[in-house]
Amino acid sequence: MRQLSAVDTQFLNFETSTNVANIAGLAILSGGLTRGDLVSLLARRLHLAAPFRRRLAFVPFGLDHPYWTEETRIDLDYHVREIALPAPGDDEQLGEQVARLHARRLDRRRPLWEMYLIQGLAGDRTALYMKVHHAAVDGVTGADVLASLLDTSAEPAEIEMAPPSEPEEKVEPREMIARGVAKAIVNPANTVRFLINAVPHLDEIPLISQVPGAGLVSRITRDLANRLSGGDPVPALPRLTVPRTPFSGRITAHRRFAFTTLPLKDVKQVKNAFGVTVNDVVMTLCAGALRQWLLKHDALPEQPLVAGVPFSLRVPGDHSVGNQVTIMITTLATQVADPVERLMAVRDAMELIKDRSSLAPARWLQELSDMMPSALTGMAARAAFNLFAGSAGPINVVISNVPGPQIPLYVSGARLLSYHPVSVVTDASGGLNITVFSYDGSLDVGVITCREMVPDVWTVTDYLRDALSELVFLAEQQ
């Protein structure tokens, strides 16, 4: 049995009737795929997907973080489901169905995943929606789970079954309680350690960074530590003011989802013309789309929107389960009307946080989670979300850009046409999330929103395409 980390546990604790921690992907496939094919594939490859085989085991009285226990028999009839869209089976109907599925919490008495084969999609296509709880995977391990189901040719590869493994060591409830009590005794030391480590990084912690004087204290302590250690100076982050938007505040239990695909060659044309990175272009496209949406709703703030950008803390080759992530904050230059000036402003902002992260990786999320006594983390998470719900929140939007394979892939012989991420919206992060996945010469985009805050979610994908067309036109003038 492996115990969840403090960060993993936070993804369980913040869930409420409206804040749901499912992360998912929507695969669009060519041709037909049957549920029988899918179940057969999973039965042969479950040993490659550890999160599919693990179930939660909770510590009595919530004294410590839960454990993962191996499930010996996976009920694939429960986890793999098949539904169909009514005619005409267009993309907007598919987005509506995915939004409904994504808003439902997973049953914590079972392994935390579900898969839906969606038939009836127009154009001789089939959709496959797969969701997993964020406590079980992050972006890297989620990609590993997806990869276990994919092949590089239409003929599925023959994969040997795993040899019988030794029975896992069980942790009895009495021992769980003893470990939890022992951790509670040493927890004040963790709190002191966090406070010592956190002071030089106050300017990168959302909400705390907005407190007057936080940046100054952070900079002084960093400079002192660098002089004592002889290390390179760490650049300071600007104090950011988070403006209120129509997608700020308390979200509802309802979702909208839209998706689109952008040509990677067009993004690279802009990148090369202006001397920026692909990620700079992606962030700028999001900034342009959000600017247009806010203008349409007469809600564009004078200050730039503040985005949370997830970063992986994994070292290359580390494919262990659980979350090793943090989040950095940056501005989106949504107040800048000129597209090229906006691109340059986004580039400068992204370079700053990349330089900062390379010299001092932002581990505040892990350290803050470790500091909290397990029995109090649930109450603390919900209290924080209640606080954020009454304000603009610590950020306006989460934007993530995930690199993926640049070759065609297949699921039981059906070619993968596109793969659109479906992420998380919360009271704290805002009611809109844009996640991008690169695959086979394209950028596949998924936009998830709170239904009541952003009911016209498909206009966001329209504006993303418009923003790219605008930058491509300007790149051609160079």
Side-chain angles (χ1 to χ4, degrees), residues 141-447:
T141 49
D144 289 343
V145 170
L146 174 66
S148 69
L149 304 179
L150 298 172
D151 292 288
T152 56
S153 71
E155 187 65 31
E158 292 296 329
I159 296 178
E160 293 184 9
M161 293 295 292
S165 57
E166 294 293 325
E168 67 175 8
E169 178 188 359
K170 297 290 184 182
V171 181
E172 299 299 329
R174 185 178 303 175
E175 185 178 352
M176 290 181 181
I177 293 173
R179 291 182 183 182
V181 171
K183 287 183 181 179
I185 292 172
V186 301
N187 193 260
N190 292 335
T191 302
V192 172
R193 187 182 305 114
F194 167 74
L195 293 175
I196 293 172
N197 293 336
V199 171
H201 304 283
L202 294 178
D203 59 346
E204 68 192 30
I205 303 177
L207 196 63
I208 293 178
S209 63
Q210 299 168 33
V211 175
L216 177 61
V217 172
S218 178
R219 178 174 56 80
I220 291 173
T221 54
R222 276 200 315 275
D223 290 347
L224 178 60
N226 287 335
R227 284 199 296 269
L228 292 175
S229 65
D232 294 328
V234 177
L237 298 176
R239 180 170 174 242
L240 305 179
T241 300
V242 182
R244 193 165 185 89
T245 71
F247 41 86
S248 299
R250 192 183 303 277
I251 65 172
T252 72
H254 311 120
R255 302 288 181 267
R256 294 298 305 272
F257 177 69
F259 57 95
T260 192
T261 293
L262 305 173
L264 185 56
K265 65 178 180 60
D266 289 355
V267 172
K268 289 184 175 180
Q269 180 181 356
V270 175
K271 171 188 83 76
N272 295 333
F274 296 105
V276 297
T277 69
V278 167
N279 194 54
D280 293 335
V281 179
V282 169
M283 296 293 292
T284 304
L285 297 180
C286 295
L290 293 173
R291 174 183 168 85
Q292 286 304 109
W293 188 91
L294 290 164
L295 283 170
K296 175 188 175 185
H297 292 268
D298 195 25
L300 180 66
E302 294 182 0
Q303 310 99 317
L305 296 193
V306 176
V309 183
F311 276 77
S312 175
L313 296 175
R314 290 181 184 274
V315 297
D318 178 8
H319 296 278
S320 58
V321 297
N323 284 273
Q324 296 186 39
V325 295
T326 191
I327 191 164
M328 295 288 283
I329 51 177
T330 187
T331 53
L332 281 181
T334 45
Q335 83 287 8
V336 177
D338 182 87
V340 177
E341 289 182 15
R342 189 184 311 128
L343 174 61
M344 296 299 105
V346 167
R347 177 203 61 187
D348 293 344
M350 291 302 296
E351 283 184 350
L352 178 60
I353 65 170
K354 284 186 289 188
D355 291 345
R356 170 68 176 261
S357 183
S358 64
L359 291 169
R363 300 185 181 275
W364 63 267
L365 180 59
Q366 288 184 332
E367 293 170 352
L368 179 61
S369 300
D370 287 336
M371 179 194 76
M372 294 294 298
S374 180
L376 298 179
T377 52
M379 290 187 293
R382 287 185 286 274
F385 274 46
N386 285 332
L387 172 65
F388 297 146
S391 68
I395 56 178
N396 293 118
V397 61
V398 174
I399 300 174
S400 185
N401 180 21
V402 182
Q406 294 305 305
I407 57 173
L409 296 172
Y410 300 81
V411 180
S412 284
R415 179 168 175 171
L416 178 66
L417 300 176
S418 59
Y419 182 81
H420 305 274
V422 194
S423 196
V424 180
V425 292
T426 70
D427 293 342
S429 60
L432 192 155
N433 179 302
I434 304 175
T435 306
V436 180
F437 183 79
S438 60
Y439 164 66
D440 194 25
S442 298
L443 293 180
D444 297 329
V445 185
V447 184

